[in-house]
mmCIF file of all heavy atoms in Angstrom:
data_model
loop_
_atom_site.group_PDB
_atom_site.id
_atom_site.type_symbol
_atom_site.label_atom_id
_atom_site.label_comp_id
_atom_site.label_asym_id
_atom_site.label_seq_id
_atom_site.Cartn_x
_atom_site.Cartn_y
_atom_site.Cartn_z
ATOM 1 N N PRO G 88 -7.403 14.338 -10.080
ATOM 2 C CA PRO G 88 -7.497 12.893 -9.910
ATOM 3 C C PRO G 88 -6.668 12.179 -10.972
ATOM 4 O O PRO G 88 -6.761 12.478 -12.154
ATOM 5 C CB PRO G 88 -9.006 12.608 -10.098
ATOM 6 C CG PRO G 88 -9.679 13.918 -9.820
ATOM 7 C CD PRO G 88 -8.721 14.976 -10.287
ATOM 8 N N THR G 89 -5.817 11.254 -10.524
ATOM 9 C CA THR G 89 -5.001 10.485 -11.447
ATOM 10 C C THR G 89 -5.718 9.213 -11.838
ATOM 11 O O THR G 89 -6.713 8.815 -11.216
ATOM 12 C CB THR G 89 -3.658 10.126 -10.810
ATOM 13 O OG1 THR G 89 -3.910 9.287 -9.671
ATOM 14 C CG2 THR G 89 -2.919 11.379 -10.348
ATOM 15 N N ARG G 90 -5.196 8.547 -12.879
ATOM 16 C CA ARG G 90 -5.793 7.275 -13.282
ATOM 17 C C ARG G 90 -5.742 6.278 -12.144
ATOM 18 O O ARG G 90 -6.663 5.510 -11.914
ATOM 19 C CB ARG G 90 -5.047 6.731 -14.502
ATOM 20 C CG ARG G 90 -5.606 5.405 -15.011
ATOM 21 C CD ARG G 90 -4.852 4.928 -16.238
ATOM 22 N NE ARG G 90 -4.958 5.889 -17.323
ATOM 23 C CZ ARG G 90 -4.355 5.735 -18.496
ATOM 24 N NH1 ARG G 90 -3.598 4.670 -18.714
ATOM 25 N NH2 ARG G 90 -4.508 6.646 -19.443
ATOM 26 N N ASP G 91 -4.615 6.293 -11.369
ATOM 27 C CA ASP G 91 -4.488 5.364 -10.259
ATOM 28 C C ASP G 91 -5.510 5.650 -9.177
ATOM 29 O O ASP G 91 -6.108 4.741 -8.616
ATOM 30 C CB ASP G 91 -3.079 5.440 -9.668
ATOM 31 C CG ASP G 91 -2.874 4.474 -8.528
ATOM 32 O OD1 ASP G 91 -2.772 3.267 -8.806
ATOM 33 O OD2 ASP G 91 -2.823 4.917 -7.378
ATOM 34 N N SER G 92 -5.718 6.950 -8.855
ATOM 35 C CA SER G 92 -6.673 7.286 -7.798
ATOM 36 C C SER G 92 -8.091 6.933 -8.214
ATOM 37 O O SER G 92 -8.906 6.501 -7.396
ATOM 38 C CB SER G 92 -6.579 8.784 -7.463
ATOM 39 O OG SER G 92 -6.990 9.576 -8.558
ATOM 40 N N LYS G 93 -8.397 7.112 -9.525
ATOM 41 C CA LYS G 93 -9.732 6.757 -9.994
ATOM 42 C C LYS G 93 -9.951 5.249 -9.925
ATOM 43 O O LYS G 93 -11.009 4.779 -9.489
ATOM 44 C CB LYS G 93 -9.925 7.233 -11.433
ATOM 45 C CG LYS G 93 -10.031 8.753 -11.579
ATOM 46 C CD LYS G 93 -10.184 9.148 -13.039
ATOM 47 C CE LYS G 93 -10.284 10.653 -13.196
ATOM 48 N NZ LYS G 93 -10.391 11.048 -14.622
ATOM 49 N N SER G 94 -8.941 4.464 -10.340
ATOM 50 C CA SER G 94 -9.088 3.012 -10.309
ATOM 51 C C SER G 94 -9.189 2.514 -8.878
ATOM 52 O O SER G 94 -9.905 1.564 -8.579
ATOM 53 C CB SER G 94 -7.906 2.342 -11.010
ATOM 54 O OG SER G 94 -6.699 2.616 -10.333
ATOM 55 N N ARG G 95 -8.447 3.181 -7.963
ATOM 56 C CA ARG G 95 -8.510 2.800 -6.552
ATOM 57 C C ARG G 95 -9.908 3.054 -6.004
ATOM 58 O O ARG G 95 -10.489 2.216 -5.308
ATOM 59 C CB ARG G 95 -7.475 3.599 -5.761
ATOM 60 C CG ARG G 95 -7.455 3.263 -4.263
ATOM 61 C CD ARG G 95 -6.393 4.082 -3.556
ATOM 62 N NE ARG G 95 -6.315 3.737 -2.158
ATOM 63 C CZ ARG G 95 -7.102 4.239 -1.215
ATOM 64 N NH1 ARG G 95 -8.035 5.110 -1.548
ATOM 65 N NH2 ARG G 95 -6.973 3.878 0.040
ATOM 66 N N ALA G 96 -10.465 4.224 -6.321
ATOM 67 C CA ALA G 96 -11.813 4.542 -5.848
ATOM 68 C C ALA G 96 -12.833 3.568 -6.415
ATOM 69 O O ALA G 96 -13.743 3.117 -5.723
ATOM 70 C CB ALA G 96 -12.172 5.970 -6.244
ATOM 71 N N ASN G 97 -12.677 3.222 -7.695
ATOM 72 C CA ASN G 97 -13.602 2.275 -8.313
ATOM 73 C C ASN G 97 -13.493 0.902 -7.676
ATOM 74 O O ASN G 97 -14.489 0.201 -7.487
ATOM 75 C CB ASN G 97 -13.318 2.168 -9.815
ATOM 76 C CG ASN G 97 -13.691 3.446 -10.559
ATOM 77 O OD1 ASN G 97 -14.494 4.228 -10.066
ATOM 78 N ND2 ASN G 97 -13.103 3.650 -11.720
ATOM 79 N N ALA G 98 -12.256 0.497 -7.333
ATOM 80 C CA ALA G 98 -12.054 -0.810 -6.720
ATOM 81 C C ALA G 98 -12.716 -0.877 -5.347
ATOM 82 O O ALA G 98 -13.345 -1.875 -4.998
ATOM 83 C CB ALA G 98 -10.558 -1.109 -6.603
ATOM 84 N N VAL G 99 -12.568 0.184 -4.566
ATOM 85 C CA VAL G 99 -13.181 0.207 -3.241
ATOM 86 C C VAL G 99 -14.691 0.137 -3.351
ATOM 87 O O VAL G 99 -15.367 -0.581 -2.615
ATOM 88 C CB VAL G 99 -12.759 1.493 -2.482
ATOM 89 C CG1 VAL G 99 -13.538 1.604 -1.183
ATOM 90 C CG2 VAL G 99 -11.269 1.456 -2.196
ATOM 91 N N GLU G 100 -15.246 0.901 -4.291
ATOM 92 C CA GLU G 100 -16.692 0.943 -4.449
ATOM 93 C C GLU G 100 -17.234 -0.379 -4.991
ATOM 94 O O GLU G 100 -18.272 -0.872 -4.556
ATOM 95 C CB GLU G 100 -17.076 2.081 -5.392
ATOM 96 C CG GLU G 100 -18.586 2.238 -5.577
ATOM 97 C CD GLU G 100 -18.931 3.396 -6.482
ATOM 98 O OE1 GLU G 100 -18.020 4.142 -6.877
ATOM 99 O OE2 GLU G 100 -20.121 3.546 -6.793
ATOM 100 N N ALA G 101 -16.500 -0.979 -5.951
ATOM 101 C CA ALA G 101 -16.993 -2.188 -6.597
ATOM 102 C C ALA G 101 -16.883 -3.408 -5.697
ATOM 103 O O ALA G 101 -17.803 -4.234 -5.638
ATOM 104 C CB ALA G 101 -16.217 -2.428 -7.895
ATOM 105 N N PHE G 102 -15.764 -3.563 -5.005
ATOM 106 C CA PHE G 102 -15.591 -4.752 -4.174
ATOM 107 C C PHE G 102 -14.671 -4.427 -3.000
ATOM 108 O O PHE G 102 -13.474 -4.700 -3.032
ATOM 109 C CB PHE G 102 -15.025 -5.910 -4.997
ATOM 110 C CG PHE G 102 -15.312 -7.254 -4.380
ATOM 111 C CD1 PHE G 102 -16.399 -8.002 -4.804
ATOM 112 C CD2 PHE G 102 -14.512 -7.759 -3.370
ATOM 113 C CE1 PHE G 102 -16.679 -9.232 -4.214
ATOM 114 C CE2 PHE G 102 -14.789 -8.990 -2.781
ATOM 115 C CZ PHE G 102 -15.872 -9.726 -3.211
ATOM 116 N N PRO G 103 -15.203 -3.840 -1.947
ATOM 117 C CA PRO G 103 -14.385 -3.505 -0.779
ATOM 118 C C PRO G 103 -13.996 -4.776 -0.012
ATOM 119 O O PRO G 103 -14.663 -5.809 -0.112
ATOM 120 C CB PRO G 103 -15.322 -2.624 0.055
ATOM 121 C CG PRO G 103 -16.699 -3.063 -0.339
ATOM 122 C CD PRO G 103 -16.605 -3.419 -1.790
ATOM 123 N N PRO G 104 -12.911 -4.742 0.759
ATOM 124 C CA PRO G 104 -12.484 -5.899 1.536
ATOM 125 C C PRO G 104 -13.544 -6.421 2.508
ATOM 126 O O PRO G 104 -13.527 -7.595 2.864
ATOM 127 C CB PRO G 104 -11.259 -5.373 2.294
ATOM 128 C CG PRO G 104 -10.760 -4.237 1.471
ATOM 129 C CD PRO G 104 -11.980 -3.611 0.872
ATOM 130 N N SER G 105 -14.455 -5.551 2.903
ATOM 131 C CA SER G 105 -15.502 -5.982 3.844
ATOM 132 C C SER G 105 -16.342 -7.120 3.275
ATOM 133 O O SER G 105 -16.867 -7.955 4.015
ATOM 134 C CB SER G 105 -16.409 -4.796 4.197
ATOM 135 O OG SER G 105 -17.019 -4.254 3.034
ATOM 136 N N LYS G 106 -16.445 -7.177 1.943
ATOM 137 C CA LYS G 106 -17.210 -8.268 1.340
ATOM 138 C C LYS G 106 -16.517 -9.609 1.555
ATOM 139 O O LYS G 106 -17.180 -10.640 1.720
ATOM 140 C CB LYS G 106 -17.426 -8.001 -0.149
ATOM 141 C CG LYS G 106 -18.427 -6.897 -0.441
ATOM 142 C CD LYS G 106 -18.785 -6.835 -1.918
ATOM 143 C CE LYS G 106 -19.852 -5.787 -2.191
ATOM 144 N NZ LYS G 106 -20.248 -5.742 -3.624
ATOM 145 N N LEU G 107 -15.195 -9.610 1.538
ATOM 146 C CA LEU G 107 -14.462 -10.840 1.832
ATOM 147 C C LEU G 107 -14.685 -11.253 3.284
ATOM 148 O O LEU G 107 -14.902 -12.438 3.577
ATOM 149 C CB LEU G 107 -12.962 -10.653 1.573
ATOM 150 C CG LEU G 107 -12.516 -10.436 0.123
ATOM 151 C CD1 LEU G 107 -10.994 -10.334 0.065
ATOM 152 C CD2 LEU G 107 -13.003 -11.557 -0.782
ATOM 153 N N LEU G 108 -14.616 -10.301 4.181
ATOM 154 C CA LEU G 108 -14.815 -10.594 5.604
ATOM 155 C C LEU G 108 -16.234 -11.096 5.862
ATOM 156 O O LEU G 108 -16.438 -12.042 6.631
ATOM 157 C CB LEU G 108 -14.524 -9.354 6.442
ATOM 158 C CG LEU G 108 -13.065 -8.854 6.399
ATOM 159 C CD1 LEU G 108 -12.945 -7.503 7.098
ATOM 160 C CD2 LEU G 108 -12.138 -9.872 7.046
ATOM 161 N N ASP G 109 -17.205 -10.487 5.212
ATOM 162 C CA ASP G 109 -18.596 -10.915 5.375
ATOM 163 C C ASP G 109 -18.795 -12.344 4.862
ATOM 164 O O ASP G 109 -19.640 -13.079 5.373
ATOM 165 C CB ASP G 109 -19.537 -9.972 4.624
ATOM 166 C CG ASP G 109 -19.610 -8.588 5.260
ATOM 167 O OD1 ASP G 109 -19.212 -8.462 6.443
ATOM 168 O OD2 ASP G 109 -20.049 -7.650 4.580
ATOM 169 N N ALA G 110 -17.998 -12.722 3.859
ATOM 170 C CA ALA G 110 -18.155 -14.046 3.254
ATOM 171 C C ALA G 110 -17.429 -15.139 4.034
ATOM 172 O O ALA G 110 -17.639 -16.327 3.771
ATOM 173 C CB ALA G 110 -17.640 -14.024 1.818
ATOM 174 N N GLY G 111 -16.588 -14.758 4.983
ATOM 175 C CA GLY G 111 -15.900 -15.774 5.777
ATOM 176 C C GLY G 111 -14.390 -15.664 5.844
ATOM 177 O O GLY G 111 -13.731 -16.436 6.546
ATOM 178 N N PHE G 112 -13.789 -14.714 5.103
ATOM 179 C CA PHE G 112 -12.351 -14.467 5.247
ATOM 180 C C PHE G 112 -12.081 -13.911 6.645
ATOM 181 O O PHE G 112 -12.951 -13.288 7.252
ATOM 182 C CB PHE G 112 -11.870 -13.452 4.207
ATOM 183 C CG PHE G 112 -11.510 -14.039 2.873
ATOM 184 C CD1 PHE G 112 -12.512 -14.477 2.010
ATOM 185 C CD2 PHE G 112 -10.190 -14.158 2.472
ATOM 186 C CE1 PHE G 112 -12.195 -15.013 0.762
ATOM 187 C CE2 PHE G 112 -9.860 -14.691 1.237
ATOM 188 C CZ PHE G 112 -10.853 -15.132 0.379
ATOM 189 N N ILE G 113 -10.882 -14.132 7.139
ATOM 190 C CA ILE G 113 -10.493 -13.549 8.417
ATOM 191 C C ILE G 113 -9.211 -12.735 8.230
ATOM 192 O O ILE G 113 -8.374 -13.053 7.387
ATOM 193 C CB ILE G 113 -10.274 -14.617 9.517
ATOM 194 C CG1 ILE G 113 -9.155 -15.586 9.104
ATOM 195 C CG2 ILE G 113 -11.562 -15.357 9.812
ATOM 196 C CD1 ILE G 113 -8.759 -16.539 10.221
ATOM 197 N N ARG G 114 -9.095 -11.670 9.009
ATOM 198 C CA ARG G 114 -7.884 -10.849 8.976
ATOM 199 C C ARG G 114 -6.897 -11.449 9.954
ATOM 200 O O ARG G 114 -7.180 -11.559 11.153
ATOM 201 C CB ARG G 114 -8.207 -9.409 9.370
ATOM 202 C CG ARG G 114 -7.007 -8.486 9.380
ATOM 203 C CD ARG G 114 -7.373 -7.141 9.997
ATOM 204 N NE ARG G 114 -6.247 -6.230 10.028
ATOM 205 C CZ ARG G 114 -5.276 -6.261 10.933
ATOM 206 N NH1 ARG G 114 -5.291 -7.166 11.897
ATOM 207 N NH2 ARG G 114 -4.284 -5.393 10.882
ATOM 208 N N ILE G 115 -5.717 -11.842 9.468
ATOM 209 C CA ILE G 115 -4.741 -12.472 10.365
ATOM 210 C C ILE G 115 -3.627 -11.525 10.788
ATOM 211 O O ILE G 115 -2.888 -11.817 11.734
ATOM 212 C CB ILE G 115 -4.115 -13.735 9.728
ATOM 213 C CG1 ILE G 115 -3.341 -13.383 8.456
ATOM 214 C CG2 ILE G 115 -5.182 -14.777 9.464
ATOM 215 C CD1 ILE G 115 -2.482 -14.526 7.942
ATOM 216 N N GLY G 116 -3.462 -10.398 10.101
ATOM 217 C CA GLY G 116 -2.403 -9.472 10.486
ATOM 218 C C GLY G 116 -2.012 -8.546 9.363
ATOM 219 O O GLY G 116 -2.761 -8.362 8.400
ATOM 220 N N GLU G 117 -0.802 -7.973 9.478
ATOM 221 C CA GLU G 117 -0.299 -7.020 8.486
ATOM 222 C C GLU G 117 1.162 -7.306 8.171
ATOM 223 O O GLU G 117 1.899 -7.832 9.009
ATOM 224 C CB GLU G 117 -0.396 -5.579 9.021
ATOM 225 C CG GLU G 117 -1.791 -5.096 9.320
ATOM 226 C CD GLU G 117 -1.793 -3.652 9.812
ATOM 227 O OE1 GLU G 117 -0.787 -2.927 9.563
ATOM 228 O OE2 GLU G 117 -2.778 -3.245 10.441
ATOM 229 N N TRP G 118 1.561 -6.928 6.952
ATOM 230 C CA TRP G 118 2.979 -6.918 6.615
ATOM 231 C C TRP G 118 3.587 -5.679 7.247
ATOM 232 O O TRP G 118 3.036 -4.585 7.136
ATOM 233 C CB TRP G 118 3.197 -6.873 5.107
ATOM 234 C CG TRP G 118 2.842 -8.130 4.362
ATOM 235 C CD1 TRP G 118 1.872 -8.293 3.415
ATOM 236 C CD2 TRP G 118 3.475 -9.408 4.487
ATOM 237 N NE1 TRP G 118 1.865 -9.590 2.944
ATOM 238 C CE2 TRP G 118 2.843 -10.290 3.583
ATOM 239 C CE3 TRP G 118 4.530 -9.893 5.279
ATOM 240 C CZ2 TRP G 118 3.209 -11.634 3.459
ATOM 241 C CZ3 TRP G 118 4.899 -11.223 5.155
ATOM 242 C CH2 TRP G 118 4.257 -12.081 4.258
ATOM 243 N N THR G 119 4.716 -5.836 7.922
ATOM 244 C CA THR G 119 5.385 -4.707 8.563
ATOM 245 C C THR G 119 6.824 -4.619 8.089
ATOM 246 O O THR G 119 7.477 -5.632 7.832
ATOM 247 C CB THR G 119 5.366 -4.839 10.096
ATOM 248 O OG1 THR G 119 6.016 -6.062 10.480
ATOM 249 C CG2 THR G 119 3.937 -4.844 10.622
ATOM 250 N N SER G 120 7.333 -3.397 7.974
ATOM 251 C CA SER G 120 8.699 -3.176 7.517
ATOM 252 C C SER G 120 9.681 -3.420 8.650
ATOM 253 O O SER G 120 9.509 -2.922 9.764
ATOM 254 C CB SER G 120 8.845 -1.742 6.995
ATOM 255 O OG SER G 120 10.154 -1.505 6.543
ATOM 256 N N VAL G 121 10.713 -4.217 8.369
ATOM 257 C CA VAL G 121 11.782 -4.483 9.335
ATOM 258 C C VAL G 121 13.002 -3.626 9.009
ATOM 259 O O VAL G 121 13.625 -3.038 9.887
ATOM 260 C CB VAL G 121 12.165 -5.977 9.336
ATOM 261 C CG1 VAL G 121 13.331 -6.232 10.290
ATOM 262 C CG2 VAL G 121 10.965 -6.841 9.710
ATOM 263 N N SER G 122 13.350 -3.550 7.726
ATOM 264 C CA SER G 122 14.436 -2.699 7.246
ATOM 265 C C SER G 122 14.144 -2.359 5.797
ATOM 266 O O SER G 122 13.064 -2.665 5.281
ATOM 267 C CB SER G 122 15.790 -3.406 7.392
ATOM 268 O OG SER G 122 15.847 -4.540 6.543
ATOM 269 N N ALA G 123 15.103 -1.751 5.116
ATOM 270 C CA ALA G 123 14.866 -1.294 3.743
ATOM 271 C C ALA G 123 14.461 -2.427 2.812
ATOM 272 O O ALA G 123 13.661 -2.239 1.905
ATOM 273 C CB ALA G 123 16.114 -0.597 3.214
ATOM 274 N N GLU G 124 14.998 -3.626 3.013
ATOM 275 C CA GLU G 124 14.723 -4.740 2.116
ATOM 276 C C GLU G 124 14.103 -5.939 2.819
ATOM 277 O O GLU G 124 14.038 -7.027 2.244
ATOM 278 C CB GLU G 124 16.021 -5.182 1.421
ATOM 279 C CG GLU G 124 16.612 -4.138 0.481
ATOM 280 C CD GLU G 124 15.704 -3.838 -0.703
ATOM 281 O OE1 GLU G 124 15.018 -4.778 -1.165
ATOM 282 O OE2 GLU G 124 15.676 -2.683 -1.168
ATOM 283 N N VAL G 125 13.666 -5.751 4.048
ATOM 284 C CA VAL G 125 13.123 -6.874 4.826
ATOM 285 C C VAL G 125 11.779 -6.489 5.425
ATOM 286 O O VAL G 125 11.611 -5.389 5.945
ATOM 287 C CB VAL G 125 14.097 -7.280 5.962
ATOM 288 C CG1 VAL G 125 13.519 -8.450 6.765
ATOM 289 C CG2 VAL G 125 15.465 -7.647 5.395
ATOM 290 N N PHE G 126 10.818 -7.396 5.342
ATOM 291 C CA PHE G 126 9.517 -7.198 5.973
ATOM 292 C C PHE G 126 9.069 -8.520 6.577
ATOM 293 O O PHE G 126 9.655 -9.579 6.320
ATOM 294 C CB PHE G 126 8.478 -6.687 4.972
ATOM 295 C CG PHE G 126 8.246 -7.617 3.817
ATOM 296 C CD1 PHE G 126 7.254 -8.584 3.859
ATOM 297 C CD2 PHE G 126 9.021 -7.524 2.665
ATOM 298 C CE1 PHE G 126 7.037 -9.439 2.794
ATOM 299 C CE2 PHE G 126 8.809 -8.367 1.595
ATOM 300 C CZ PHE G 126 7.818 -9.331 1.665
ATOM 301 N N ALA G 127 8.036 -8.465 7.398
ATOM 302 C CA ALA G 127 7.554 -9.674 8.071
ATOM 303 C C ALA G 127 6.075 -9.543 8.365
ATOM 304 O O ALA G 127 5.538 -8.423 8.439
ATOM 305 C CB ALA G 127 8.332 -9.906 9.363
ATOM 306 N N LEU G 128 5.420 -10.669 8.526
ATOM 307 C CA LEU G 128 4.025 -10.685 8.944
ATOM 308 C C LEU G 128 3.996 -10.583 10.461
ATOM 309 O O LEU G 128 4.768 -11.276 11.151
ATOM 310 C CB LEU G 128 3.364 -11.983 8.480
ATOM 311 C CG LEU G 128 1.834 -12.065 8.568
ATOM 312 C CD1 LEU G 128 1.188 -10.979 7.712
ATOM 313 C CD2 LEU G 128 1.359 -13.436 8.112
ATOM 314 N N ASP G 129 3.158 -9.696 10.993
ATOM 315 C CA ASP G 129 3.184 -9.446 12.430
ATOM 316 C C ASP G 129 2.467 -10.516 13.246
ATOM 317 O O ASP G 129 2.261 -10.347 14.453
ATOM 318 C CB ASP G 129 2.602 -8.059 12.744
ATOM 319 C CG ASP G 129 1.129 -7.930 12.376
ATOM 320 O OD1 ASP G 129 0.543 -8.913 11.869
ATOM 321 O OD2 ASP G 129 0.561 -6.838 12.575
ATOM 322 N N THR G 130 2.109 -11.623 12.613
ATOM 323 C CA THR G 130 1.490 -12.742 13.321
ATOM 324 C C THR G 130 1.802 -14.022 12.562
ATOM 325 O O THR G 130 2.300 -13.970 11.433
ATOM 326 C CB THR G 130 -0.040 -12.548 13.427
ATOM 327 O OG1 THR G 130 -0.590 -13.560 14.278
ATOM 328 C CG2 THR G 130 -0.687 -12.645 12.061
ATOM 329 N N ALA G 131 1.526 -15.159 13.157
ATOM 330 C CA ALA G 131 1.765 -16.433 12.481
ATOM 331 C C ALA G 131 0.566 -16.786 11.608
ATOM 332 O O ALA G 131 -0.576 -16.803 12.088
ATOM 333 C CB ALA G 131 2.008 -17.533 13.505
ATOM 334 N N ALA G 132 0.810 -17.064 10.343
ATOM 335 C CA ALA G 132 -0.265 -17.454 9.432
ATOM 336 C C ALA G 132 -0.684 -18.890 9.715
ATOM 337 O O ALA G 132 0.107 -19.690 10.232
ATOM 338 C CB ALA G 132 0.196 -17.318 7.985
#
Side-chain angles (χ1 to χ4, degrees):
T89 63
R90 181 179 299 178
D91 181 73
S92 65
K93 290 179 180 178
S94 63
R95 180 179 183 276
N97 291 339
V99 173
E100 182 178 354
F102 202 96
S105 59
K106 288 190 176 182
L107 293 182
L108 296 171
D109 291 342
F112 274 73
I113 60 172
R114 179 189 180 280
I115 62 169
E117 298 181 20
W118 289 116
T119 59
S120 180
V121 177
S122 66
E124 295 296 326
V125 180
F126 60 92
L128 192 60
D129 64 0
T130 188

